[in-house]
Amino acid sequence: MEIDILNELLTESVAKLFNPKAVYNFKKPNPVYDNYQKNSNNTSSTSISSMQSDQPKFEQPQQKLSNPPTIEQWVSVIGPQKLQESLNKLNIDLGKLTKRDLEMMSMDSLQNEKKRVKNELKFYDANFQSIFNRFPLRNEKEPMRPLYIYYKKLKQQIDKVTQNPGIQIPAYKQSTNNTQGDIQKRIEDLKKTRAELREKLNNFQNEFTTTHNRRIRFHKDIAPVEKEYKLYKEIKNEIQKLENILLKK
């Protein structure tokens, strides 16, 4: 009897497994957990979508910064590129630059050029710092060595001009008591200074023609010797005035 009851129960249970209308309560539903899962999935999906839609416009530079160059790559590749960019901005060819070119520059031109070169050297350091979070060491500045040499030459020329102002109008105190001999001596001194200036200006003109394959045509062309050019005109005018005085005596 007990065996018949057991078989009946087993048969009924097995039949329910294959009954498509049967309801199985293997796991009791948990509304709190289900809602949490649903909200979590929605939040995750929304967050990812939001992040993707709100990507910054500078995504490409960030990608570059995520793979910065090594120090070796900077020194061997990027550094020389930075040097060439600076030379292009300064519009100079260090291979053709001579000592004479610096000597023909006025003090204002020398100081202005020194400032421009210094800015380029600082710009290199700032670029390096933006990648490696520190300023470059001496060996890491090696690509800019030609520009450092040029900067040093500019400083040396400025010191030289400061110590030796160059050609100036000879000192002369004019008064009503100046004799004819005094005026004549003054004219001779001025003519000597004028000859020195003329030689300097002629040398500049010849070098300019050789470098630029044309003669001087614009005011900006004489910028390096503008001071000497003005001095030449002043001396020429003063000689003319003194010679007119002699003619009246």
Side-chain angles (χ1 to χ4, degrees), residues 129-184:
Q129 185 188 33
S130 68
I131 300 297
F132 301 104
N133 297 319
R134 63 175 177 82
F135 284 109
L137 302 176
R138 183 171 182 176
N139 64 304
E140 294 160 351
K141 296 182 180 183
E142 189 65 22
M144 301 295 282
R145 173 185 286 271
L147 208 55
Y148 272 103
I149 294 175
Y150 179 50
Y151 180 77
K152 183 178 180 180
K153 289 181 178 179
L154 287 169
K155 288 182 63 177
Q156 291 174 341
Q157 184 62 25
I158 289 174
D159 292 340
K160 182 178 178 181
V161 173
T162 301
Q163 296 171 5
N164 181 19
I167 301 174
Q168 296 179 339
I169 297 178
Y172 177 68
K173 186 176 181 180
Q174 187 173 358
S175 69
T176 56
N177 297 326
N178 290 134
T179 64
Q180 187 172 350
D182 293 333
I183 296 175
Q184 188 62 47

Side-chain angles (χ1 to χ4, degrees), residues 43-57 59 62:
T43 302
S44 176
S45 175
T46 302
S47 299
I48 294 174
S49 175
S50 175
M51 289 173 61
Q52 291 175 344
S53 63
D54 295 336
Q55 283 296 321
K57 295 181 179 179
E59 183 176 358
Q62 289 182 353

Side-chain angles (χ1 to χ4, degrees), residues 12 40 42 46-47 99 116 129 132 135 157 160 165 170 176 182-183 187 193 197 207 212 222 241-242:
E12 183 180 357
S40 298
N42 290 337
T46 302
S47 299
K99 181 180 178 182
R116 293 172 65 223
Q129 185 188 33
F132 301 104
F135 284 109
Q157 184 62 25
K160 182 178 178 181
T176 56
D182 293 333
I183 296 175
I187 291 175
T193 304
L197 284 169
E207 291 185 7
H212 301 280
I222 66 169
K241 290 178 182 178
L242 292 174

Side-chain angles (χ1 to χ4, degrees), residues 14-53:
V14 172
K16 287 183 178 181
L17 291 174
F18 292 94
N19 186 355
K21 296 182 179 181
V23 177
Y24 306 103
N25 294 323
F26 295 110
K27 179 180 180 182
K28 186 176 181 180
N30 189 334
V32 176
Y33 175 79
D34 291 344
N35 289 334
Y36 172 79
Q37 285 290 89
K38 182 177 181 180
N39 292 334
S40 298
N41 291 335
N42 290 337
T43 302
S44 176
S45 175
T46 302
S47 299
I48 294 174
S49 175
S50 175
M51 289 173 61
Q52 291 175 344
S53 63

